Amino acid sequence: MSVTLPPRTPSSQPPAPAPLPTHRGCPFDPPGELGALREEEPVSRLAFPDGKTGWLLTRHEDVRAVLADDRFSSDRLRASSPVRRFPLLRSESPDLAGSLIGMDPPQHTRYRRLLTRHFTVRRMRELAPRIEQIVADHLDAMERGGPPADLVADFARPIPSLVICELLGVPYEDRATFQRCTATLLRLDADEQTVRAARDELWAYMLGLVAAKRDHPDDALLGTLIRDGDPDAPLGDAELAGLGRLLLVAGHETTANMLALGTYALLCHPEQLRALREDPELVDRAVEELLRYLTIVQFGTVRVAREDVEVGGRLIRAGETVVASLASANRDPEHFPDPDELDLARPPAQHVAFGHGIHQCLGQQLARVEMKIAYPALLRRFPALDLAVPPGRVPMRDDMFIYGVHRLPVTW
């Protein structure tokens, strides 16, 4: 499917390629240069660290249009000059089976079809009582331990980790292994040897888990795929390991960082925190607004043009790499009034925190359910929750592909 991309009046020549903006002036705002680009050059030339060039999209319309356009591929190996040294292109290795993020139809369609039924709204609602119990158990432990506490270690990270482990059938006692490997894969400063070692360790772990599931299948997702997957083309061990690895990494990292960073944002916006405490019915809109406002996939998502395509008055040639900035799109004033304000009552307005198009986050409904349960429960249990350190001393994850906080010291 091709999409009509929004026009703009082009300048005579695009400016010279510039590096991706990464410096944040405020922990909750994307880099300020993105706003300037969105206003002045929304389809701009991008310089990658290895010297290659591509394009950066910063406008909401352009980002949504490109992510929904099948003239753009998710397979980075289609690039005429593949980019190697760039964090967006390192977190998923396209040469591993089941790497859904870097696949196009029909391979992507096949895998997505097999997984979708496990992540429907109905299925996630069925999981809600178990998630409520997991949240309550961790709040109980925090209360017993007393203040201060690290909300990341005691609440935000273990809850989605335990949920995704139970959903997939991964032993939770193995969390130290997969959390350590995941943290390495998401580090921006990790060298290739370190990244490769972490990837190989996690890959070997998943292959071993799949082999164990074949011998003793259970009713969790991986066991179900082994038993009731594609009858015409059963999934091989590598495919199952690849799918499981992707779901495991994404399933605990993203929600963990939203829970911690979202709580930090609420504590720094007391009027919004008060509104959520006073009106629990606000939680649905509050979750969507926090997703938009924070956009933890901080650099965006990557596509490669299959053919020459004009986007926003610029001609993107076949084989060129495009980075769609989700954070910039979610702060576009042409789509979101007062986009730099956190407004938990904001009506839903098609944010792209989960991406868009056929690659829109498969686990988005699970993340929503976890957040809709965890935020109100935390605020009910600790009505005097507050930061235990000055805001400027909260260590931010600006050194990671998935944004958030490394630690969040809190008291009550």
Side-chain angles (χ1 to χ4, degrees), residues 30-280:
E33 297 97 320
L34 291 174
L37 286 171
R38 190 175 54 237
E39 179 68 24
E40 300 166 11
E41 195 68 31
V43 183
S44 57
R45 295 295 291 174
L46 180 62
F48 293 105
D50 62 0
K52 298 184 176 68
T53 61
W55 296 90
L56 176 64
L57 309 181
T58 49
R59 200 168 60 167
H60 184 272
E61 284 183 276
D62 296 331
V63 167
R64 277 179 58 92
V66 165
L67 295 182
D69 193 331
D70 64 8
R71 292 175 295 176
F72 289 89
S73 170
S74 294
D75 181 0
R76 73 172 190 251
L77 297 183
R78 286 180 172 271
S80 52
S81 297
V83 179
R84 299 298 181 187
R85 293 167 48 216
F86 193 58
L88 290 176
L89 304 174
R90 195 187 64 194
S91 58
E92 264 301 299
S93 179
D95 56 341
L96 295 178
S99 294
L100 210 62
I101 290 176
M103 287 183 175
D104 295 326
Q107 296 95 332
H108 173 270
T109 307
R110 175 183 176 238
Y111 289 138
R112 186 95 180 193
R113 176 176 53 81
L114 290 171
L115 294 173
T116 296
R117 64 190 176 95
H118 296 279
F119 291 93
T120 61
V121 173
R122 178 179 178 180
R123 175 64 180 132
M124 295 305 102
R125 286 175 180 163
E126 291 172 352
L127 291 176
R130 175 56 182 151
I131 297 172
E132 290 170 353
Q133 184 60 58
I134 291 171
V135 169
D137 290 345
H138 285 82
L139 289 173
D140 289 346
M142 277 183 61
E143 194 167 25
R144 286 194 302 269
D150 175 10
L151 198 75
V152 173
D154 297 336
F155 185 78
R157 185 186 297 133
I159 289 170
S161 293
L162 183 52
V163 171
I164 196 64
C165 280
E166 291 188 0
L167 183 64
L168 292 176
V170 175
Y172 185 59
E173 55 267 27
D174 295 343
R175 62 191 179 278
T177 297
F178 67 74
Q179 288 177 352
R180 174 174 45 77
C181 291
T182 297
T184 299
L185 293 175
L186 296 177
R187 276 175 49 198
L188 303 180
D189 59 352
D191 59 71
E192 285 304 315
Q193 182 177 357
T194 302
V195 169
R196 191 178 303 112
R199 181 181 291 145
D200 290 348
E201 182 180 359
L202 186 55
W203 186 247
Y205 171 78
M206 292 306 303
L207 284 173
L209 181 62
V210 168
K213 297 287 183 186
R214 286 206 185 275
D215 291 338
H216 304 285
D218 54 27
D219 293 328
L221 191 150
L222 286 174
T224 301
L225 288 176
I226 290 171
R227 187 180 61 248
D228 305 321
D230 188 342
D232 298 322
L235 294 170
D237 285 7
E239 293 175 296
L240 288 161
L243 293 172
R245 179 183 59 100
L246 173 61
L247 294 173
L248 181 62
V249 170
H252 79 272
E253 271 289 337
T254 51
T255 307
N257 284 289
M258 271 305 305
L259 289 175
L261 185 62
T263 302
Y264 181 28
L266 289 171
L267 293 174
C268 291
H269 293 79
E271 73 291 347
Q272 297 299 311
L273 177 62
R274 184 168 53 253
L276 182 56
R277 278 199 174 114
E278 293 175 353
D279 182 11

Side-chain angles (χ1 to χ4, degrees), residues 165 250 258 362 366 400:
C165 280
M258 271 305 305
L362 180 69
L366 175 60
M400 308 290 280

Side-chain angles (χ1 to χ4, degrees), residues 198-374:
R199 181 181 291 145
D200 290 348
E201 182 180 359
L202 186 55
W203 186 247
Y205 171 78
M206 292 306 303
L207 284 173
L209 181 62
V210 168
K213 297 287 183 186
R214 286 206 185 275
D215 291 338
H216 304 285
D218 54 27
D219 293 328
L221 191 150
L222 286 174
T224 301
L225 288 176
I226 290 171
R227 187 180 61 248
D228 305 321
D230 188 342
D232 298 322
L235 294 170
D237 285 7
E239 293 175 296
L240 288 161
L243 293 172
R245 179 183 59 100
L246 173 61
L247 294 173
L248 181 62
V249 170
H252 79 272
E253 271 289 337
T254 51
T255 307
N257 284 289
M258 271 305 305
L259 289 175
L261 185 62
T263 302
Y264 181 28
L266 289 171
L267 293 174
C268 291
H269 293 79
E271 73 291 347
Q272 297 299 311
L273 177 62
R274 184 168 53 253
L276 182 56
R277 278 199 174 114
E278 293 175 353
D279 182 11
E281 297 298 318
L282 194 61
V283 67
D284 287 2
R285 287 190 175 187
V287 164
E288 298 306 319
E289 174 67 351
L290 287 167
L291 286 163
R292 178 202 71 85
Y293 182 71
L294 299 172
T295 314
I296 59 172
V297 181
Q298 61 171 334
F299 301 125
T301 190
V302 173
R303 296 291 184 269
V304 175
R306 297 173 182 267
E307 58 187 77
D308 293 357
V309 185
E310 185 175 314
V311 180
R314 298 297 183 200
L315 181 61
I316 297 177
R317 297 287 186 182
E320 289 190 310
T321 299
V322 178
V323 175
S325 175
L326 305 182
S328 177
N330 278 339
R331 294 296 186 95
D332 188 341
E334 293 186 8
H335 194 79
F336 304 99
D338 299 317
D340 294 328
E341 297 297 321
L342 178 64
D343 178 7
L344 300 189
R346 186 186 300 272
Q350 295 182 324
H351 68 71
V352 291
F354 289 119
H356 183 60
I358 64 171
H359 281 274
Q360 193 171 36
C361 176
L362 180 69
Q364 62 181 288
Q365 300 304 336
L366 175 60
R368 285 186 169 103
V369 169
E370 289 173 325
M371 287 186 282
K372 289 175 184 179
I373 292 171

